Amino acid sequence: AEFISLYSGSSGNSSVVRCGQRYLIVDMGKGVAYLAALKALGLAVSDCDGILVTHEHSDHVKGLSTFLKKNTLPVYGAAATLDFLDSNGIVPASCELHELEGREEDVGAFGVQSFPTSTMCLVGYRIHTPDGKTMTIATDLGVLTPPVHEALSGCDLVALESNYDLHMLRSGPYPYYLRARIESTRGHLSNDECSAKLLELVQEVQKFALCHLSQENNTPALALQTVFNTLGAAGVVPEKDCIVQAQRRNEMSPVLEF
């Protein structure tokens, strides 16, 4: 199976989970040329089993409306998110909407389980691929709650938010109220928090994608350095003991096989 981030960051998020010719799309946060991206991966729209939506913020759903006008695909998510997409005309009236409420359900060839996070109406996804692999994607976390810890364990690949560097955030241009929200339990996960979790997981998970990096309060190099320092201090050698990749903001990231 493969995880491919089409783009990832506070300005837009979308990724593909692929097994053979079947695939799922997780979020569609930019009105960009999805068809070109899928074509570059050798994928047709008809090969897609569905779109999973984590929540209704524009950096996760902005591309849905345009794409679904021309392409008929089922959309999956929490009830509140689907209600929002429907009532605001973000998905066409003819779109098939399917609630995912915590138990594993079949989405085409994939098994998908949603799990709650600390942020209201926002879910992450634990995905079982047709070839027997498991991955979890979790962003916009604020804090790692028990359901998130549970969903991250026992995976072949984890895609986890590494949103901000604490020093950059506190010395940056954001007003106090915004900094406070980002640091809060309903905000985002810092590089330090992400690194600490990766260290916990590294005995059982060997592939990691760092997602949703802030443009103003982080850099890919800083996020990776924080992880490498944390793992290195515990005697873990990145590239040898595990693969860690920071996902690119405005373009497709290298494919991560798992």
Side-chain angles (χ1 to χ4, degrees), residues 41-113:
L41 292 168
L43 296 172
V45 175
S46 57
D47 299 328
C48 183
D49 285 331
I51 301 171
L52 310 179
V53 178
T54 57
H55 63 303
E56 76 282 0
H57 287 169
S58 66
D59 59 324
H60 294 259
V61 302
K62 199 168 17 183
L64 271 177
S65 174
T66 308
F67 185 83
L68 289 171
K69 274 178 193 154
K70 296 181 178 153
N71 304 283
T72 308
L73 284 176
V75 174
Y76 295 80
T81 300
L82 297 179
D83 286 347
F84 179 91
L85 298 178
D86 189 35
S87 58
N88 287 276
I90 294 168
V91 295
S94 59
C95 184
E96 272 185 55
L97 301 175
H98 300 275
E99 287 178 29
L100 290 175
E101 295 300 345
R103 61 188 179 279
E104 184 172 324
E105 300 194 33
D106 290 336
V107 178
F110 297 81
V112 177
Q113 182 178 6

Side-chain angles (χ1 to χ4, degrees), residues 105-121:
E105 300 194 33
D106 290 336
V107 178
F110 297 81
V112 177
Q113 182 178 6
S114 66
F115 55 90
T117 67
S118 59
T119 309
M120 210 166 69
C121 299

Side-chain angles (χ1 to χ4, degrees), residues 3-8 14-16 18 30 32-43 245-256:
F3 173 78
I4 307 131
S5 171
L6 303 182
Y7 44 82
S8 177
S14 186
S15 53
V16 165
R18 170 185 188 169
K30 278 188 187 177
V32 297
Y34 277 96
L35 292 177
L38 297 174
K39 194 175 175 186
L41 292 168
L43 296 172
Q245 181 181 286
Q247 305 307 290
R248 295 171 180 170
R249 167 172 301 281
N250 294 314
E251 59 182 344
M252 202 183 293
S253 296
V255 172
L256 274 169

Side-chain angles (χ1 to χ4, degrees), residues 135-136 152 155-160 198 201 205 207-210:
M135 72 152 289
T136 289
L152 293 172
C155 291
D156 298 288
L157 179 141
V158 161
L160 186 62
L198 263 55
L201 291 170
V205 185
K207 303 270 177 82
F208 297 101
L210 308 183

Side-chain angles (χ1 to χ4, degrees), residues 94-236:
S94 59
C95 184
E96 272 185 55
L97 301 175
H98 300 275
E99 287 178 29
L100 290 175
E101 295 300 345
R103 61 188 179 279
E104 184 172 324
E105 300 194 33
D106 290 336
V107 178
F110 297 81
V112 177
Q113 182 178 6
S114 66
F115 55 90
T117 67
S118 59
T119 309
M120 210 166 69
C121 299
L122 189 150
V123 297
Y125 290 107
R126 185 176 170 102
I127 300 167
H128 291 300
T129 62
D131 60 352
K133 303 289 187 176
T134 303
M135 72 152 289
T136 289
I137 183 164
T139 64
D140 297 71
L141 287 172
V143 67
L144 292 161
T145 55
V148 178
H149 283 297
E150 189 181 335
L152 293 172
S153 67
C155 291
D156 298 288
L157 179 141
V158 161
L160 186 62
E161 170 172 64
S162 193
N163 180 257
Y164 66 92
D165 172 78
L166 191 56
H167 176 71
M168 276 184 80
L169 177 67
R170 289 183 175 171
S171 59
Y174 280 13
Y176 174 76
Y177 77 88
L178 190 52
R179 294 204 307 269
R181 188 187 71 75
I182 290 168
E183 283 186 47
S184 79
T185 57
R186 297 194 180 279
H188 291 284
L189 217 56
S190 71
N191 292 347
D192 292 324
E193 291 167 317
C194 175
S195 298
K197 184 60 192 174
L198 263 55
L199 180 58
E200 271 180 41
L201 291 170
V202 79
Q203 302 307 322
E204 53 178 7
V205 185
Q206 273 74 53
K207 303 270 177 82
F208 297 101
L210 308 183
C211 300
H212 213 304
L213 275 65
S214 166
Q215 187 159 6
E216 287 76 22
N217 303 307
N218 210 353
T219 67
L222 204 48
L224 285 170
Q225 195 56 56
T226 308
V227 171
F228 290 170
N229 288 349
T230 302
L231 296 181
V236 179

